[in-house]
Amino acid sequence: MKRPARLLDMPVYPFARWAKHIQAARRRGSDVIRLDIGGPDLPPPDQVVEALCGSAHQADHHGYPGYRGLPALREAVAGYYGRRFRVDLNPETEVVALIGSKEGIVNLALACLDPGDLVLVPDPGYAPYAMGAALAGAEVYPFPLRPEQGFLPDLDAIPQDVANRANLMWLNYPNNPTGATADLAFFSQAVDFAQRHGLLLCHDAPYCDVTYDGHMPPSLLQAPGASEVAVEFNSLSKTFNMPGWRLGMAVGNAGVLASLAQIKSNVDSGIFRPLQEAAIQALSIDPTWVSERNQIYQQRRDLILEGVHSAGLEALRPRATLYVWARVPPGRTSEAFALALLEQTGVAVAPGSFFGPGGEGYVRLSVTTPACRIREAMSRTCEFATAQSTLEPATWDL
């Protein structure tokens, strides 16, 4: 059977390949501790589950649900943005419900790009930014995120001819995989950059409510003029521990969202109504629930930082996200280090190279494992490190 050309240059999703190493380790009898995947291990709020069940028991809630999301869901999204960010959204035109933000990211490329268009993507970064562009036939220009700049892009360093030709740019803060955060001053610079070069600015913000030490990341849409040139993607996956529910939203520029909705109306039939009603409940939850959950993650983050520090690895101290971004010892690639750690100790971390060439030399560790297992993983990692050539202990604050 003929394979379409669009698949020939598309690599296998790296975490799908990594899963085979996990399976092989388990077959050998290894007690694998997974710090490689950022899937929340804690349950969502009880009232969210109850809302789902209650709606599912309604006989008339099982039909086709509509394409843009229930009006009440779009109003709930707008209400959340108003409370959390002081951003006013028109729920009729500036909100689209998504079957998870990943779906929206890829469909946005189909909605906004033609073959030969150019997309600016962060390196390291989340793979679907580039994969969506590839499916649309567009070209990709990676811009680097460097530690000396706090893993923020140097917008002025993007060549003028590249910036002028670009149609779309992706940002992601709080950042996966580095854990870096951006302030409103940077977002204002990014909006100005988009306005000067006539491009669409897309911001992926699923970690905006997974925060530590009192940090409160802003929304890109708080920057003056953002609604003219930008859309923001968000998700209930990380904020409310609902990754498998596949619930997200795109907000911002009405014209862009109309194009996205047009694509979606041709490729999906909307979100199951009981899921939407559960999302409405989640978006109205008392913020105390999120704060208490974040305290659990913060304890786990601190255990990981203590462990990698004791193992002699440099590690970022994140103020948000589910991740710690740690530099591997010299002389090893990211994947070689991670594979040796997995095979010799059963501790699974994500190679930084999975996020692009700019991730080489790092590994990503997730806080989505109970504290007792993290302690065991860090103990094994320290034992592993004693047999290796390691760096001097250091921790960077972002």
Side-chain angles (χ1 to χ4, degrees):
M1 182 181 295
K2 176 182 177 293
R3 298 187 76 210
R6 73 176 64 88
L7 294 183
L8 298 180
D9 295 325
M10 182 175 292
V12 175
Y13 193 56
F15 282 100
R17 178 168 58 81
W18 191 244
K20 296 180 180 178
H21 292 297
I22 304 287
Q23 293 166 2
R26 285 175 169 158
R27 284 195 298 268
R28 293 192 298 268
S30 179
D31 173 29
V32 175
I33 302 176
R34 298 202 64 173
L35 305 182
D36 56 318
I37 298 296
D41 63 310
L42 300 170
D46 290 342
Q47 53 266 54
V48 173
V49 178
E50 291 165 4
L52 171 73
C53 295
S55 181
H57 281 298
Q58 300 298 312
D60 60 347
H61 286 193
H62 296 269
Y64 291 116
Y67 299 109
R68 290 189 74 124
L70 293 173
L73 174 56
R74 287 184 272 117
E75 290 169 5
V77 170
Y80 161 78
Y81 263 82
R83 293 188 305 273
R84 172 67 173 83
F85 302 111
R86 299 292 187 262
V87 168
D88 292 326
L89 295 173
N90 183 335
E92 291 297 318
T93 60
E94 295 179 317
V95 179
V96 171
L98 303 174
I99 307 174
S101 57
K102 186 176 184 180
E103 168 260 304
I105 287 166
V106 174
N107 278 328
L108 183 85
L110 301 177
C112 297
L113 298 171
D114 285 320
D117 284 350
L118 184 64
V119 179
L120 309 179
V121 301
D123 177 26
Y126 186 44
Y129 308 146
M131 291 303 100
L135 286 171
E139 300 174 26
V140 169
Y141 180 91
F143 56 86
L145 306 182
R146 296 192 172 98
E148 59 268 24
Q149 294 170 317
F151 291 103
L152 295 172
D154 182 353
L155 300 176
D156 293 332
I158 297 174
Q160 190 77 6
D161 59 330
V162 171
N164 288 338
R165 189 191 150 204
N167 304 88
L168 189 152
M169 180 180 195
W170 279 104
L171 296 174
N172 165 221
Y173 293 98
N175 183 257
N176 174 24
T178 69
T181 56
D183 60 17
L184 193 54
F186 170 77
F187 284 151
S188 295
Q189 294 172 13
V191 168
D192 178 68
F193 179 86
Q195 291 172 332
R196 284 188 286 113
H197 297 287
L199 56 82
L200 172 63
L201 185 61
C202 298
H203 182 230
D204 188 23
Y207 299 97
C208 64
D209 288 314
V210 181
T211 63
Y212 313 119
D213 306 317
H215 183 60
M216 293 292 285
S219 165
L220 172 67
L221 297 182
Q222 291 176 257
S227 63
E228 301 168 11
V229 295
V231 293
E232 184 164 270
F233 289 79
N234 211 322
S235 169
L236 277 66
S237 296
K238 308 305 191 294
T239 298
F240 301 108
N241 300 345
M242 300 167 68
W245 298 52
R246 307 317 304 140
L247 290 162
M249 70 285 282
V251 298
N253 184 274
V256 173
L257 294 185
S259 297
L260 175 59
Q262 183 177 353
I263 289 290
K264 285 177 58 60
S265 69
N266 282 280
V267 300
D268 72 60
S269 296
I271 302 167
F272 184 40
R273 178 167 176 170
L275 287 171
Q276 295 192 61
E277 297 197 344
I280 293 167
Q281 180 66 46
L283 289 164
S284 65
I285 209 82
D286 187 330
T288 301
W289 183 92
V290 175
S291 299
E292 291 175 350
R293 189 278 318 277
N294 286 348
Q295 285 297 315
I296 297 172
Y297 284 159
Q298 183 168 320
Q299 178 194 22
R300 296 174 180 184
R301 178 206 64 175
D302 292 345
L303 289 172
I304 292 175
L305 286 170
E306 180 182 354
V308 297
H309 180 87
S310 296
L313 305 178
E314 296 180 356
L316 294 167
R317 183 180 185 86
R319 294 189 293 172
T321 77
L322 297 171
Y323 311 114
V324 170
W325 188 237
R327 197 190 297 272
V328 304
R332 287 265 183 110
T333 66
S334 297
E335 190 162 351
F337 176 85
L339 188 58
L341 182 65
L342 173 64
E343 292 180 342
Q344 296 180 37
T345 73
V347 175
V349 299
S353 55
F354 284 7
F355 303 93
E360 183 54 75
Y362 294 87
V363 291
R364 192 193 71 177
L365 300 88
S366 172
V367 302
T368 56
T369 298
C372 60
R373 295 290 279 168
I374 289 176
R375 289 190 184 95
E376 173 62 21
M378 293 300 97
S379 176
R380 295 182 196 178
T381 301
C382 289
E383 292 176 5
F384 172 80
T386 60
Q388 311 294 317
S389 174
T390 60
L391 296 171
E392 290 298 316
T395 300
W396 303 332
D397 288 334
L398 283 182

